[in-house]
Amino acid sequence: MITGTIFTLILLGGLYYFVFYPNQKLKRIRSSPILEVDGASTRYPNLPLGDLGVFFESNANRRIRVVFPKLTPDGDVQYIYSWHDLRFIRIPTSRGAGQGRINLKIAQELAFLMKEHIQFVEPEILNLRRQWHKINELLELVATSDFYASQQEIYERALLQVENLLDKAEELQQVYVRFIREVLIGRQVAGYDPTLLLSDSVTIDHQYKRIREEYQDMKETATAYAELLRTRQF
C-alpha cells in the first residue's frame, strides 16, 4: 500500500515536471515581452542588454525564438533572431541592482519599440513592395493591350498611392530605428556612468505619432480607393 502511494506520488510529480510545469512556463513566456536567456551573452558577444531579449515566437517543440538588439560597429541597429530551449529561458524580475537592473529597465523600454518595428513596420514595407511590383507589372501589361489600355490611368494612380505609402512606411521605420539606436547608445553610456541614463529613457515623441497617424490616414485612403476600383469592375 505504501509502495503504491509512493509510486503514485512519483508519477504525479513526474507528470507535473514534464507536462504541466513546462506548459505553464511556456504560457507565461508567451505573455512576457522580456525574456532572459542563459548564456546568450556568451553565444553572442557584445550584446548591450546581456542575456535579455524580446520574445518573438515559439514552436511545437517548446523552443522559443528570442530577438536580441545589437549595435554594429557602424552604429546601425541589428536584430539577432535566436532559438532556445525552454529550459534555458526565464522571465526576469526587477530584483537586483547595478548593470542588471539597468539592462532590465532599458529592455522594458525597448520591447514596445522592437515589437512594433518587427511585427508591424517591417511586414508593411515588404507587403507594399510586393504590391508595387504587382501593380507595375499590370501597368506594363495593360499598356500593351488594345482592350485594357483605357485602364492604364487607374493603375498609374494605384502605383502612385503605393509609392507614397511605401515612402511614409520607410520614414516611419527610420523613426523606430533612430529611437532604438538612441536607447542602445544610452545603455553603453550608462555602463560607464549610470547617472547618465536618461530618466524614462528616450520616449516616443510627437514625430513618431505624427508620421504613424499620417501613414494610417494614407493607408485608409488607399484601401478605400482599392475597394472603389473593385466595385467599379463588377
Side-chain angles (χ1 to χ4, degrees), residues 52-158:
L52 297 180
V54 175
F55 171 79
F56 185 71
E57 64 178 329
S58 61
N59 63 18
N61 296 322
R62 293 175 180 166
R63 288 180 62 80
I64 313 299
R65 200 178 190 191
V66 182
V67 184
F68 300 100
K70 185 178 181 179
L71 288 172
T72 68
D74 296 328
D76 295 324
V77 175
Q78 176 186 5
Y79 291 148
I80 298 175
Y81 294 81
S82 182
W83 287 99
H84 299 272
D85 191 274
L86 184 65
R87 296 172 298 168
F88 304 114
I89 294 182
R90 297 191 304 274
I91 298 175
T93 64
S94 57
R95 295 192 300 270
Q99 300 301 316
R101 193 177 187 88
I102 292 174
N103 283 350
L104 181 57
K105 174 180 172 59
I106 295 177
Q108 290 169 338
E109 293 163 357
L110 276 180
F112 168 76
L113 289 170
M114 288 179 59
K115 278 185 171 291
E116 281 251 320
H117 183 211
I118 294 170
Q119 298 178 358
F120 169 67
V121 181
E122 287 187 337
E124 285 280 288
I125 290 175
L126 291 175
N127 181 51
L128 287 170
R129 286 174 179 167
R130 284 193 294 266
Q131 286 187 46
W132 188 92
H133 286 294
K134 181 62 178 178
I135 295 172
N136 191 57
E137 288 175 358
L138 292 173
L139 177 59
E140 292 177 351
L141 193 62
V142 298
T144 64
S145 171
D146 295 330
F147 296 102
Y148 299 99
S150 60
Q151 296 188 18
Q152 187 172 343
E153 185 179 350
I154 295 175
Y155 288 103
E156 287 174 347
R157 290 177 183 174

Side-chain angles (χ1 to χ4, degrees), residues 210-229:
R210 175 181 60 80
I211 294 175
R212 204 178 195 286
E213 288 173 358
E214 288 176 0
Y215 176 79
Q216 288 300 128
D217 289 342
M218 291 172 62
K219 187 177 179 182
E220 289 172 5
T221 301
T223 301
Y225 180 74
E227 289 295 332
L228 178 61
L229 288 181

Side-chain angles (χ1 to χ4, degrees), residues 10 17-18 31 60 77 132 137 147 151 165 181:
I10 293 174
Y17 183 78
F18 290 105
S31 62
V77 175
W132 188 92
E137 288 175 358
F147 296 102
Q151 296 188 18
L165 273 174
R181 181 192 299 119

Side-chain angles (χ1 to χ4, degrees), residues 162-197:
V162 171
E163 287 175 350
N164 291 336
L165 273 174
L166 186 56
D167 288 342
K168 187 59 65 175
E170 289 176 343
E171 184 182 357
L172 184 60
Q173 175 167 253
Q174 289 305 311
V175 173
Y176 277 95
V177 171
R178 178 171 64 84
F179 276 118
I180 293 168
R181 181 192 299 119
E182 291 301 322
V183 172
L184 293 177
I185 292 174
R187 171 63 190 92
Q188 305 287 59
V189 172
Y192 290 94
D193 186 356
T195 62
L196 296 177
L197 185 66

